[in-house]
Amino acid sequence: MTSEITTPAELQKMDPVFGQLSFDNHEQIVFCNDKDTGLKAIIGIHNTVMGPALGGTRMWKYNNEWEALNDVLRLSRGMTYKSAITGLNLGGGKAVIIGDAKADKTPEMITRFGQFVDSLSGKYITAEDVGTTTEDMDRIHEVTNYVTGISEAKGGSGNPSPVTAYGVYMGMKAAAKYQFGSDSLGGKKILVQGTGHVGETLISHLTKEGAEVFVSDIHQDKMESMVAKYGAKIFTGADLYAADVDIYSPCALGATINDETIYKIKAKVIAGAANNQLAVESVHGQILRERGIAYAPDFLINAGGIINVYAEIVKYSKEEAIRRTENIYNTTLEIFNFADTNNITTQQAAMQIAQNRIDERKKENANK
Ligand code: NAD
């Protein structure tokens, strides 16, 4: 969530929007301002070739507007590839609201934001993200239909985290199949970093299958609860990244695979829910490949959440959402094979397949 690319001062010397380094031919960027409610938001529509641009609204205390713009550009682009690789008829979009969700958010502000979403007539569809909740989506739903992630009580798909966790579990099994020759996780030593909404459900799947699960979290009580509920073990080593485990599952923060950690990692598989796990995709993806570590691309295996909310658009059942999420297993195996055949990283393989789908659809759309 920080501007890792350049400083605001440097950015200002460039074209302020289209010259942003995270700008990647985004179709539309909408700046939303409302004096009365204090709303300052940016909606980024990266690409709508595959369908309406769907992506969550993040509310975050950005240090400055450049950081917010950079974030929305980067995140909306990520959504384009996530939906394309998952086979959903959705484009990529995302929104950011500048402010502290705990201190600054008001119902009026969220309603006003919903009106801005509505003004785009369905080109952008919103959902929850960091700093926004199901309750916020219900409120937005009062002023627009272009919202997903509303509560089950109001006809929505409810909490996406269990479905996300199931997809990560499927991706992890596929990565294990590729790396170890069997997709059984029984007896495997697995380190789960982050025992939040996704991490906990993942841990429950893993322990049920007989894996030896180690957990790490900044909150001691959460780790203790994983021990009590699932028989997980708290990781007590000095360095998490040097842990002697078979599988490392980042389920907390992004960019944990970076210059400092990458040569320490002993795990032979990396598969987790966190977004943007590779600090620098091209560099760290390549080093993992050279080190023989099977990396399941995050944006592919954490797509259960978007599969879950997609049900609100195309009206399928929870069972269908689970079935589609299960398919992450097959897609992950395809990605590993495609990467080997083309001698590229799994991240590059997933991006390339997603881009091919978008290019094909663009041709079909042009011929209609
Ligand atoms: P969450 O906030 O419920 O859980 C995150 C957990 O990580 C918390 O328990 C927190 O204490 C812990 N944590 C924070 N910093 C840590 C650190 N340095 N070391 C160890 N633990 C730390 O979030 P979540 O919904 O479980 O999502 C987890 C990750 O997956 C996030 O990166 C999120 O963006 C991504 N993701 C989630 C979904 C979803 O459906 N919830 C979908 C796609 C991607």
Side-chain angles (χ1 to χ4, degrees):
M1 251 164 289
T2 53
S3 173
E4 66 225 342
I5 293 175
T6 187
T7 65
E10 285 167 327
L11 280 167
Q12 282 173 34
K13 290 186 207 140
M14 305 164 22
D15 294 331
V17 176
F18 298 128
Q20 280 257 4
L21 288 183
S22 300
F23 182 78
D24 178 48
N25 287 308
H26 288 66
E27 286 179 18
Q28 197 174 356
I29 302 156
V30 183
F31 292 82
C32 314
N33 177 59
D34 184 63
K35 189 165 165 276
D36 293 343
T37 59
L39 173 75
K40 283 205 184 323
I42 313 174
I43 298 172
I45 297 175
H46 176 249
N47 191 292
T48 56
V49 168
M50 303 291 287
L54 190 145
T57 296
R58 179 166 293 192
M59 183 159 183
W60 191 254
K61 203 169 173 246
Y62 293 100
N63 290 317
N64 52 63
E65 290 168 17
W66 300 108
E67 207 175 278
L69 177 60
N70 185 46
D71 212 25
V72 81
L73 291 173
R74 202 175 52 84
L75 292 167
S76 55
R77 173 181 181 269
M79 292 308 295
T80 297
Y81 291 99
K82 182 184 292 213
S83 285
I85 194 68
T86 310
L88 307 178
N89 289 323
L90 290 174
K94 201 92 183 182
V96 296
I97 298 178
I98 301 170
D100 182 335
K102 285 210 173 83
D104 304 329
K105 190 165 51 175
T106 61
E108 294 74 23
M109 180 189 278
I110 292 298
T111 300
R112 189 70 189 96
F113 174 71
Q115 289 165 342
F116 277 108
V117 171
D118 195 60
S119 73
L120 293 168
S121 306
K123 195 169 181 189
Y124 168 68
I125 302 173
T126 199
E128 302 179 37
D129 196 70
V130 177
T132 58
T133 61
T134 307
E135 197 188 349
D136 295 329
M137 297 309 122
D138 284 351
R139 197 174 298 285
I140 290 173
H141 191 226
E142 287 168 11
V143 292
T144 183
N145 283 326
Y146 305 122
V147 54
T148 57
I150 52 179
S151 60
E152 282 176 293
K154 301 230 157 126
S157 57
N159 179 8
S161 302
V163 189
T164 300
Y166 188 60
V168 172
Y169 175 52
M170 287 296 116
M172 189 186 284
K173 282 177 84 64
K177 170 92 179 155
Y178 169 81
Q179 185 72 311
F180 307 123
S182 160
D183 64 14
S184 169
L185 300 175
K188 289 277 178 286
K189 289 185 177 175
I190 304 174
L191 174 68
V192 180
Q193 179 185 32
T195 58
H197 294 108
V198 178
E200 171 162 3
T201 310
L202 177 65
I203 290 163
S204 78
H205 289 303
L206 299 177
T207 49
K208 221 176 273 167
E209 199 176 322
E212 189 179 357
V213 176
F214 297 86
V215 295
S216 165
D217 199 289
I218 47 173
H219 296 293
Q220 182 71 19
D221 56 336
K222 285 195 177 176
M223 291 194 287
E224 282 167 8
S225 135
M226 297 305 112
V227 175
K229 284 191 192 166
Y230 310 107
K233 296 174 185 164
I234 295 177
F235 178 75
T236 51
D239 189 344
L240 181 102
Y241 299 99
D244 195 6
V245 291
D246 301 302
I247 300 174
Y248 162 49
S249 182
C251 293
L253 315 163
T256 57
I257 301 157
N258 55 45
D259 287 347
E260 282 191 13
T261 60
I262 198 159
Y263 287 107
K264 294 195 268 187
I265 296 172
K266 293 201 183 86
K268 286 287 165 217
V269 165
I270 299 177
N275 283 311
N276 307 317
Q277 291 165 25
L278 303 174
V280 182
E281 281 178 17
S282 53
V283 174
H284 300 112
Q286 182 58 29
I287 298 173
L288 289 181
R289 179 166 173 78
E290 285 163 8
R291 294 201 57 218
I293 298 172
Y295 170 68
D298 47 18
F299 71 100
L300 161 65
I301 71 167
N302 72 13
I306 194 162
I307 294 173
N308 194 60
V309 296
Y310 188 54
E312 291 177 38
I313 298 170
V314 295
K315 310 287 176 212
Y316 52 64
S317 62
K318 195 75 171 183
E319 291 68 36
E320 176 62 10
I322 301 283
R323 195 196 59 74
R324 288 180 183 224
T325 301
E326 215 152 66
N327 198 42
I328 288 177
Y329 180 97
N330 295 325
T331 314
T332 307
L333 276 180
E334 276 168 33
I335 296 297
F336 278 114
N337 292 331
F338 187 84
D340 280 347
T341 309
N342 294 284
N343 201 18
I344 54 177
T345 70
T346 48
Q347 179 79 13
Q348 288 165 330
M351 294 286 282
Q352 203 168 307
I353 291 176
Q355 187 62 55
N356 290 347
R357 284 188 185 157
I358 296 165
D359 293 345
E360 272 166 36
R361 183 68 65 83
K362 198 170 176 181
K363 273 192 221 144
E364 284 165 25
N365 291 350
N367 292 333
K368 268 185 193 161

